[in-house]
Each structure stands twice: as structure tokens, then as C-alpha cells.
Amino acid sequence: MPTKEELLNNLSTFDADYIVELINEGRLSFFEVISSKQLSPEISKEVERKLSERNQSVDDATSPVEKNSTSLPKAKGDLNSNLKSILKRMFSCKGRINRVQYLLSVVLFVGILLLSGILTILFVFIFAAIGADPKNSYVNFSLYCCTTLYLIVFFADIVFLYMSAIKRFHDTNRSGWLFALLLIPFLNIIADIYFFFILFFSRGDDYVNNYGPVPEPNYKHC
């Protein structure tokens, strides 16, 4: 039986059916197949399609009663794991997101930033309205905590948006290191315009590229 290294080295000679069989048998993982970068876009797309069809057939074969009976006892654990998974994906630069998903990331970024800013300003006005003494240590400490919290939310938002932009670049098979162009004077002006059109208008690859499979048409994998 050939070893895993031998299989990976000879992937380009295999057809899609045999590759799917290797993945189903556990001899290779989907990630290892993609990372080898030996498959043509057509074969990669065919492998992804066949795996999706297999997963769908398995889901269809499971009755609603079986699904409910297995999911109910783990509802709380699934919720916690899903929340951790969402947060991990939000602040990760791995994978891909499409144009709609990136637009939703921008909307979420602006919404959180506006909400936190409004709450901070409202907090300051409340202290001013009740006639709080600015020299009072409690007031100063409260304002300091409020400002610090806003800055934490602001920088977390920046990181989230930056990670989303990198994953959007990945969707077009471009490296996130292109953002280093923003650090070069004068060239960063051209880069801003170039990046804007890539992030909001450039169509992503409709096959498995160097950064992963095609993103799902929803916000699940942001």
C-alpha cells in the first residue's frame, strides 16, 4: 500500500473519483489534497462537488427523529462550540469570503463602531447632566474605563475588518501581504483604489484555489 507521501506526490495522476475515495477512506484529508497544489482547477472543483454530494446524501439518509434525538442533549455544548468557532473565524486570516460576506463584515464593523461611540458620548453627557464633579476620582475613573473600553472595541473592530479583507483577497487567489503596499508613500494612494475594486467588485474563484474551497453563499464562514 502506498504511503501518504507517495499518494500526495502522485495526486496529479489520479482522477477525481479515486481522490474522493482516498479522502473517504481517511488515507488523505481534503486539506492535504488542496495544500499539495497538484490538482488542476477542474479536478479540484470535481472533487469538491463529489464530496458535497456525498455529505448531502448522508444528511438525507438521517431521519428527522435521529437528528433531533442526537442534537437535543448537546444543544448547550453545540451553542458554545459554535460561538467559539464563529469568534475564531472572525479573527482568523485563513480561508475565503465572497463579496457579500465582506460587505456584511464592513456593515458589522461600522455598526459596532457607531454603537460603541454613541454609548460613550451618551455616558459622558449623562455625567455632565447630573452635574458630576470632574475632579471627583470616581467620575474620572468611570470616564477612563469608558474611554478604554471604546478603544478596545475600536482596535478589535480594526483587526476584524483587516482579517476579513485578507480572506476577501484569498477569494481572488491573492495574498494578504499585498496590504503592505499601504505602507509605501504615494503608492498607497493607488493601492487604496486597487484594493477597493478587489474587495467590493472582483469576482472570487469558483473553484478550490490556493487558500481553500469556495465559500458558502451565506455568512456562516466569515
Side-chain angles (χ1 to χ4, degrees), residues 205-220:
D205 296 335
D206 57 354
Y207 52 84
V208 178
N209 63 20
N210 295 334
Y211 300 97
V214 179
E216 296 186 10
N218 52 46
Y219 204 62
K220 182 178 179 180

PDB file of all heavy atoms in Angstrom, residues 205-220:
ATOM      1  N   ASP A 205     -12.787  33.201  -7.155  1.00  0.00           N
ATOM      2  CA  ASP A 205     -12.617  31.971  -7.927  1.00  0.00           C
ATOM      3  C   ASP A 205     -13.752  30.995  -7.614  1.00  0.00           C
ATOM      4  O   ASP A 205     -14.099  30.802  -6.446  1.00  0.00           O
ATOM      5  CB  ASP A 205     -11.275  31.311  -7.590  1.00  0.00           C
ATOM      6  CG  ASP A 205     -10.089  32.178  -7.993  1.00  0.00           C
ATOM      7  OD1 ASP A 205     -10.259  33.001  -8.916  1.00  0.00           O
ATOM      8  OD2 ASP A 205      -9.012  32.045  -7.389  1.00  0.00           O
ATOM      9  N   ASP A 206     -14.313  30.385  -8.658  1.00  0.00           N
ATOM     10  CA  ASP A 206     -15.402  29.425  -8.449  1.00  0.00           C
ATOM     11  C   ASP A 206     -14.887  28.000  -8.370  1.00  0.00           C
ATOM     12  O   ASP A 206     -15.579  27.053  -8.764  1.00  0.00           O
ATOM     13  CB  ASP A 206     -16.452  29.555  -9.564  1.00  0.00           C
ATOM     14  CG  ASP A 206     -15.857  29.361 -10.950  1.00  0.00           C
ATOM     15  OD1 ASP A 206     -14.614  29.239 -11.046  1.00  0.00           O
ATOM     16  OD2 ASP A 206     -16.625  29.330 -11.936  1.00  0.00           O
ATOM     17  N   TYR A 207     -13.665  27.841  -7.902  1.00  0.00           N
ATOM     18  CA  TYR A 207     -13.068  26.522  -7.703  1.00  0.00           C
ATOM     19  C   TYR A 207     -12.119  26.594  -6.506  1.00  0.00           C
ATOM     20  O   TYR A 207     -11.865  27.687  -5.962  1.00  0.00           O
ATOM     21  CB  TYR A 207     -12.299  26.069  -8.950  1.00  0.00           C
ATOM     22  CG  TYR A 207     -11.291  27.077  -9.454  1.00  0.00           C
ATOM     23  CD1 TYR A 207     -10.006  27.150  -8.911  1.00  0.00           C
ATOM     24  CD2 TYR A 207     -11.627  27.987 -10.454  1.00  0.00           C
ATOM     25  CE1 TYR A 207      -9.086  28.083  -9.343  1.00  0.00           C
ATOM     26  CE2 TYR A 207     -10.712  28.923 -10.900  1.00  0.00           C
ATOM     27  CZ  TYR A 207      -9.442  28.961 -10.351  1.00  0.00           C
ATOM     28  OH  TYR A 207      -8.540  29.892 -10.782  1.00  0.00           O
ATOM     29  N   VAL A 208     -11.623  25.460  -6.067  1.00  0.00           N
ATOM     30  CA  VAL A 208     -10.686  25.414  -4.953  1.00  0.00           C
ATOM     31  C   VAL A 208      -9.377  26.062  -5.390  1.00  0.00           C
ATOM     32  O   VAL A 208      -8.727  25.598  -6.325  1.00  0.00           O
ATOM     33  CB  VAL A 208     -10.423  23.959  -4.506  1.00  0.00           C
ATOM     34  CG1 VAL A 208      -9.403  23.933  -3.377  1.00  0.00           C
ATOM     35  CG2 VAL A 208     -11.714  23.299  -4.058  1.00  0.00           C
ATOM     36  N   ASN A 209      -8.989  27.158  -4.732  1.00  0.00           N
ATOM     37  CA  ASN A 209      -7.722  27.802  -5.074  1.00  0.00           C
ATOM     38  C   ASN A 209      -6.688  27.531  -3.981  1.00  0.00           C
ATOM     39  O   ASN A 209      -6.865  26.645  -3.143  1.00  0.00           O
ATOM     40  CB  ASN A 209      -7.917  29.301  -5.325  1.00  0.00           C
ATOM     41  CG  ASN A 209      -8.397  30.063  -4.098  1.00  0.00           C
ATOM     42  OD1 ASN A 209      -8.260  29.593  -2.957  1.00  0.00           O
ATOM     43  ND2 ASN A 209      -8.963  31.232  -4.295  1.00  0.00           N
ATOM     44  N   ASN A 210      -5.608  28.304  -3.974  1.00  0.00           N
ATOM     45  CA  ASN A 210      -4.519  28.064  -3.026  1.00  0.00           C
ATOM     46  C   ASN A 210      -4.911  28.324  -1.572  1.00  0.00           C
ATOM     47  O   ASN A 210      -4.159  27.959  -0.660  1.00  0.00           O
ATOM     48  CB  ASN A 210      -3.316  28.938  -3.372  1.00  0.00           C
ATOM     49  CG  ASN A 210      -2.703  28.577  -4.707  1.00  0.00           C
ATOM     50  OD1 ASN A 210      -2.815  27.445  -5.159  1.00  0.00           O
ATOM     51  ND2 ASN A 210      -2.081  29.542  -5.359  1.00  0.00           N
ATOM     52  N   TYR A 211      -6.068  28.964  -1.352  1.00  0.00           N
ATOM     53  CA  TYR A 211      -6.450  29.356   0.008  1.00  0.00           C
ATOM     54  C   TYR A 211      -7.683  28.624   0.523  1.00  0.00           C
ATOM     55  O   TYR A 211      -8.181  28.945   1.598  1.00  0.00           O
ATOM     56  CB  TYR A 211      -6.666  30.872   0.069  1.00  0.00           C
ATOM     57  CG  TYR A 211      -5.423  31.649  -0.297  1.00  0.00           C
ATOM     58  CD1 TYR A 211      -5.233  32.135  -1.589  1.00  0.00           C
ATOM     59  CD2 TYR A 211      -4.415  31.860   0.645  1.00  0.00           C
ATOM     60  CE1 TYR A 211      -4.082  32.829  -1.922  1.00  0.00           C
ATOM     61  CE2 TYR A 211      -3.264  32.547   0.313  1.00  0.00           C
ATOM     62  CZ  TYR A 211      -3.103  33.024  -0.968  1.00  0.00           C
ATOM     63  OH  TYR A 211      -1.947  33.704  -1.311  1.00  0.00           O
ATOM     64  N   GLY A 212      -8.169  27.646  -0.227  1.00  0.00           N
ATOM     65  CA  GLY A 212      -9.273  26.856   0.281  1.00  0.00           C
ATOM     66  C   GLY A 212     -10.416  26.722  -0.706  1.00  0.00           C
ATOM     67  O   GLY A 212     -10.361  27.224  -1.839  1.00  0.00           O
ATOM     68  N   PRO A 213     -11.487  26.040  -0.291  1.00  0.00           N
ATOM     69  CA  PRO A 213     -12.644  25.820  -1.165  1.00  0.00           C
ATOM     70  C   PRO A 213     -13.487  27.084  -1.336  1.00  0.00           C
ATOM     71  O   PRO A 213     -13.276  28.086  -0.646  1.00  0.00           O
ATOM     72  CB  PRO A 213     -13.427  24.729  -0.425  1.00  0.00           C
ATOM     73  CG  PRO A 213     -13.075  24.935   1.014  1.00  0.00           C
ATOM     74  CD  PRO A 213     -11.638  25.377   1.015  1.00  0.00           C
ATOM     75  N   VAL A 214     -14.433  27.005  -2.245  1.00  0.00           N
ATOM     76  CA  VAL A 214     -15.332  28.133  -2.496  1.00  0.00           C
ATOM     77  C   VAL A 214     -16.147  28.414  -1.240  1.00  0.00           C
ATOM     78  O   VAL A 214     -16.707  27.487  -0.642  1.00  0.00           O
ATOM     79  CB  VAL A 214     -16.275  27.813  -3.672  1.00  0.00           C
ATOM     80  CG1 VAL A 214     -17.241  28.965  -3.924  1.00  0.00           C
ATOM     81  CG2 VAL A 214     -15.469  27.509  -4.924  1.00  0.00           C
ATOM     82  N   PRO A 215     -16.227  29.676  -0.783  1.00  0.00           N
ATOM     83  CA  PRO A 215     -17.005  29.979   0.431  1.00  0.00           C
ATOM     84  C   PRO A 215     -18.484  29.729   0.215  1.00  0.00           C
ATOM     85  O   PRO A 215     -19.002  29.874  -0.896  1.00  0.00           O
ATOM     86  CB  PRO A 215     -16.730  31.474   0.678  1.00  0.00           C
ATOM     87  CG  PRO A 215     -16.307  32.003  -0.644  1.00  0.00           C
ATOM     88  CD  PRO A 215     -15.599  30.885  -1.350  1.00  0.00           C
ATOM     89  N   GLU A 216     -19.158  29.328   1.276  1.00  0.00           N
ATOM     90  CA  GLU A 216     -20.598  29.096   1.194  1.00  0.00           C
ATOM     91  C   GLU A 216     -21.324  30.404   0.955  1.00  0.00           C
ATOM     92  O   GLU A 216     -20.869  31.459   1.380  1.00  0.00           O
ATOM     93  CB  GLU A 216     -21.102  28.444   2.493  1.00  0.00           C
ATOM     94  CG  GLU A 216     -20.532  27.068   2.734  1.00  0.00           C
ATOM     95  CD  GLU A 216     -21.147  26.402   3.942  1.00  0.00           C
ATOM     96  OE1 GLU A 216     -22.137  26.936   4.452  1.00  0.00           O
ATOM     97  OE2 GLU A 216     -20.632  25.355   4.357  1.00  0.00           O
ATOM     98  N   PRO A 217     -22.492  30.358   0.296  1.00  0.00           N
ATOM     99  CA  PRO A 217     -23.223  31.593  -0.029  1.00  0.00           C
ATOM    100  C   PRO A 217     -24.009  32.154   1.144  1.00  0.00           C
ATOM    101  O   PRO A 217     -25.174  32.471   1.031  1.00  0.00           O
ATOM    102  CB  PRO A 217     -24.174  31.126  -1.144  1.00  0.00           C
ATOM    103  CG  PRO A 217     -24.409  29.688  -0.840  1.00  0.00           C
ATOM    104  CD  PRO A 217     -23.104  29.166  -0.295  1.00  0.00           C
ATOM    105  N   ASN A 218     -23.385  32.211   2.298  1.00  0.00           N
ATOM    106  CA  ASN A 218     -24.004  32.832   3.465  1.00  0.00           C
ATOM    107  C   ASN A 218     -22.882  33.325   4.364  1.00  0.00           C
ATOM    108  O   ASN A 218     -21.722  33.238   4.005  1.00  0.00           O
ATOM    109  CB  ASN A 218     -24.916  31.863   4.225  1.00  0.00           C
ATOM    110  CG  ASN A 218     -24.225  30.568   4.555  1.00  0.00           C
ATOM    111  OD1 ASN A 218     -23.086  30.562   5.019  1.00  0.00           O
ATOM    112  ND2 ASN A 218     -24.898  29.458   4.338  1.00  0.00           N
ATOM    113  N   TYR A 219     -23.234  33.798   5.559  1.00  0.00           N
ATOM    114  CA  TYR A 219     -22.229  34.405   6.424  1.00  0.00           C
ATOM    115  C   TYR A 219     -21.699  33.423   7.462  1.00  0.00           C
ATOM    116  O   TYR A 219     -21.079  33.800   8.440  1.00  0.00           O
ATOM    117  CB  TYR A 219     -22.815  35.625   7.133  1.00  0.00           C
ATOM    118  CG  TYR A 219     -21.755  36.626   7.561  1.00  0.00           C
ATOM    119  CD1 TYR A 219     -20.960  37.251   6.625  1.00  0.00           C
ATOM    120  CD2 TYR A 219     -21.558  36.920   8.911  1.00  0.00           C
ATOM    121  CE1 TYR A 219     -20.001  38.164   7.017  1.00  0.00           C
ATOM    122  CE2 TYR A 219     -20.599  37.825   9.303  1.00  0.00           C
ATOM    123  CZ  TYR A 219     -19.831  38.442   8.353  1.00  0.00           C
ATOM    124  OH  TYR A 219     -18.863  39.340   8.740  1.00  0.00           O
ATOM    125  N   LYS A 220     -21.906  32.147   7.209  1.00  0.00           N
ATOM    126  CA  LYS A 220     -21.516  31.154   8.204  1.00  0.00           C
ATOM    127  C   LYS A 220     -20.014  31.115   8.408  1.00  0.00           C
ATOM    128  O   LYS A 220     -19.534  30.865   9.503  1.00  0.00           O
ATOM    129  CB  LYS A 220     -22.011  29.775   7.744  1.00  0.00           C
ATOM    130  CG  LYS A 220     -21.711  28.661   8.723  1.00  0.00           C
ATOM    131  CD  LYS A 220     -22.259  27.352   8.219  1.00  0.00           C
ATOM    132  CE  LYS A 220     -21.938  26.222   9.164  1.00  0.00           C
ATOM    133  NZ  LYS A 220     -22.460  24.933   8.694  1.00  0.00           N
TER     134      LYS A 220
END
